[in-house]
Amino acid sequence: MKRLLFSSITGALAFALILSGCSSKKRTSIDPGRNSTATGIAYSKDNKGKKPKKGQAAQADGFQVNAFKGQPAGPNLVYIEGGRFTMGTVEEDVTYSRDNLERTVTVSSFYMDETEITNLHWLEYLHGIQKDSSQEFYESALPDTLVWVNKLSFNDQFTEQYLRYPGFRMYPVVGVSWVQASDYCKWRTAAVNGEMAVRFGPKAKTSKKDRSAPTTEAPQAKTGGRLAIETGNVLPGYRLPTEAEWEYAAKAMIGTQYMDENQSSQRIYPWDGSSMRKPKGGQKGTMLANFKRGRGDFAGIAGHQNDGGIITMEVYEFPANDFGLYNMAGNVNEWVWDVYRPNSFQDVNDLNPIRRSDYLDEESLYDKKGFNSLIDNKLRVYKGGSWNDVAYWLSPGTRRYLDQDSATATIGFRCAMIAIGPKGKRKL
């Protein structure tokens, strides 16, 4: 009888354990639970900021797990869901460069600025570095306003006014080199994370005895003016997008998907079809980008301009693509991270491709010193077409290059950032 009772109790306990195991909540990065699944030791503070349950003897110096709701989307950033796409030119290769042949690659999810960096953004940058950088660096960050100068064209007003006049605030900054754009990305990373440290860092408390004497809680670790990475209240670095990321985001093939993994069509431009005009709706027939329609035709005729942009235009002027990104064709070309090589399409990896150096395609092979080539390790790719380009260059698959220290009135940029872990819904 005792043996039978023992067996019944054992069976009931085993069944209960099975049920509890089946009903236990799966741990995630957002909700890792109150105690470690490896050791069973309670965290000093769980991911929701609550104290451990009764019986879980958490200590003040125990392992701390901070509340986390997902990676916050930085200001102006749009989430770009990664995936597979066919990278490369779909236009006729009129330059016969054959430097971007079609191939299938995969890009991880990332964030990208919904607009090009504007004059107002750059003036904010100049203000910031003037306070905490050397005069030499400040002067090196000034855009080259002389990019508008042309001995046979009257562009004097743009040379003097384009960067600083309030009427041009939301126009894309130009006259910045690849190096200057990269420096801006570093400053922006520090500025945003510094603001997050103020917003989410430990707050000063006032003593009950003396309200005028502030006391502080034990601060969370900081590095270079930012919170510790473990807090979740720190963003990865802003940077220039890779060529693959830029092209993927510009095509926005998500708008052509109709079932499973099938896509209805390839895209020549960041919108459907081969026309440069809006095909339907209240603004039918209006241009979808700011570009040069033909020799001498930058905007059409007065009273009925085709795109309205004799030079650049405000960054929200034209419709966004299916990822919510503005001016991925036209307005200004945009710098990307990659070093230019004509054979990158066959050399780079098919997962997150990038060429960051002359690995597998050495600089010495091109003999620039002997004037047999223009190619060296300072050439950087730019893409997208501009107000001064014909429609051919507005196709995301086309690519050109320029020395990383050079600047023109037709090249600007926007920033990108890696997406880490589960997609969060946080907004700063």
Side-chain angles (χ1 to χ4, degrees):
M1 185 67 179
K2 289 182 178 180
R3 182 177 296 177
L4 181 61
L5 181 60
F6 179 79
S7 298
S8 299
I9 294 173
T10 304
L13 286 173
F15 184 69
L17 286 172
I18 291 172
L19 286 179
S20 65
C22 294
S23 61
S24 62
K25 187 176 181 180
K26 292 182 179 179
R27 309 294 179 88
T28 66
S29 297
I30 303 294
D31 186 7
R34 299 173 182 270
N35 59 291
S36 169
T37 56
T39 64
I41 299 174
Y43 301 131
S44 64
K45 182 182 289 187
D46 76 354
N47 69 306
K48 296 179 181 178
K50 298 177 181 177
K51 293 180 180 179
K53 291 181 178 179
K54 187 177 180 180
Q56 294 179 326
Q59 299 178 0
D61 60 348
F63 180 63
Q64 182 174 334
V65 178
N66 294 281
F68 180 62
K69 297 180 181 179
Q71 178 182 348
N76 203 44
L77 293 181
V78 173
Y79 179 77
I80 310 295
E81 183 180 4
R84 178 202 70 213
F85 85 112
T86 302
M87 183 177 179
T89 182
V90 293
E91 282 275 57
E92 180 183 358
D93 188 6
V94 298
T95 62
Y96 297 99
S97 59
R98 297 183 61 81
D99 64 351
N100 199 22
L101 301 186
E102 288 187 289
R103 68 278 188 196
T104 299
V105 301
T106 294
V107 174
S108 297
S109 298
F110 62 102
Y111 290 89
M112 180 179 274
D113 276 325
E114 67 176 1
T115 68
E116 297 139 342
I117 297 300
T118 67
N119 288 318
L120 187 60
H121 296 144
W122 200 267
L123 291 174
E124 179 189 21
Y125 168 51
L126 293 177
H127 173 75
I129 61 174
Q130 192 172 34
K131 294 190 300 182
D132 58 16
S133 300
S134 67
Q135 182 65 21
E136 181 182 7
F137 183 78
Y138 171 78
E139 292 177 0
S140 72
L142 293 171
D144 182 5
T145 58
L146 297 180
V147 293
W148 294 105
V149 171
N150 187 313
K151 292 183 182 297
L152 299 176
S153 181
F154 184 70
N155 294 331
D156 302 43
Q157 65 273 27
F158 305 132
T159 301
E160 297 175 358
Q161 306 291 333
Y162 184 81
L163 175 64
R164 299 182 183 275
Y165 186 70
F168 286 119
R169 282 174 178 166
M170 296 307 291
Y171 283 60
V173 67
V174 297
V176 296
S177 67
W178 183 94
V179 173
Q180 288 175 309
S182 298
D183 287 338
Y184 173 86
C185 293
K186 295 175 184 177
W187 171 85
R188 187 179 178 188
T189 301
V192 173
N193 281 325
E195 175 65 20
M196 292 182 70
V198 172
R199 189 180 304 183
F200 299 108
K203 302 295 189 295
K205 289 187 175 182
T206 305
S207 170
K208 292 181 179 179
K209 295 181 179 179
D210 184 3
R211 295 287 180 182
S212 64
T215 60
T216 58
E217 296 178 335
Q220 301 181 66
K222 296 183 181 181
T223 304
R226 71 176 192 182
L227 297 174
I229 292 177
E230 291 83 356
T231 65
N233 292 318
V234 60
L235 289 176
Y238 286 86
R239 56 176 173 77
L240 293 175
T242 67
E243 182 176 5
E245 286 175 335
W246 193 98
E247 193 170 321
Y248 176 81
K251 283 188 174 181
M253 295 296 288
I254 192 172
T256 68
Q257 186 168 320
Y258 66 96
M259 62 180 294
D260 296 331
E261 294 186 44
N262 295 319
Q263 289 173 319
S264 59
S265 63
Q266 176 63 281
R267 275 183 167 161
I268 302 174
Y269 304 109
W271 52 80
D272 292 329
S274 58
S275 173
M276 307 302 295
R277 299 178 183 271
K278 190 173 182 181
K280 55 185 178 181
Q283 294 182 316
K284 180 179 179 179
T286 58
M287 289 293 181
L288 292 167
N290 177 20
F291 68 106
K292 184 178 179 180
R293 191 163 61 171
R295 183 175 178 83
D297 185 359
F298 288 85
I301 61 175
H304 195 71
Q305 293 185 348
N306 59 61
D307 64 34
I310 294 177
I311 56 165
T312 56
M313 295 190 71
E314 290 196 338
V315 293
Y316 289 105
E317 186 68 27
F318 294 92
N321 71 4
D322 288 327
F323 275 132
L325 304 171
Y326 294 85
N327 290 302
M328 294 302 284
N331 215 24
V332 290
N333 291 286
E334 297 177 15
W335 290 112
V336 297
W337 190 340
D338 294 52
V339 172
Y340 176 79
R341 285 295 187 275
N343 295 322
S344 290
F345 69 90
Q346 65 185 15
D347 292 339
V348 297
N349 203 290
D350 57 358
L351 172 61
N352 296 324
I354 184 176
R355 180 176 289 285
R356 64 182 87 218
S357 68
D358 64 352
Y359 176 67
L360 294 182
D361 202 349
E362 289 78 10
E363 181 182 45
S364 58
L365 298 174
Y366 292 90
D367 190 23
K368 183 177 181 178
K369 292 181 179 180
F371 301 100
N372 290 314
S373 174
L374 294 174
I375 295 176
D376 62 12
N377 287 340
K378 289 189 175 182
L379 286 184
R380 299 287 176 168
V381 178
Y382 66 91
K383 298 174 75 72
S386 76
W387 59 271
N388 195 35
D389 289 315
V390 295
Y392 172 80
W393 296 109
L394 273 60
S395 179
T398 57
R399 63 201 298 250
R400 286 175 287 180
Y401 55 85
L402 190 67
D403 188 277
Q404 65 184 25
D405 293 311
S406 297
T408 78
T410 62
I411 302 180
F413 73 102
R414 71 182 76 209
C415 302
M417 177 189 293
I418 189 174
I420 300 175
K423 178 188 175 185
K425 298 182 180 180
R426 299 175 60 188
K427 286 287 185 181
L428 294 180

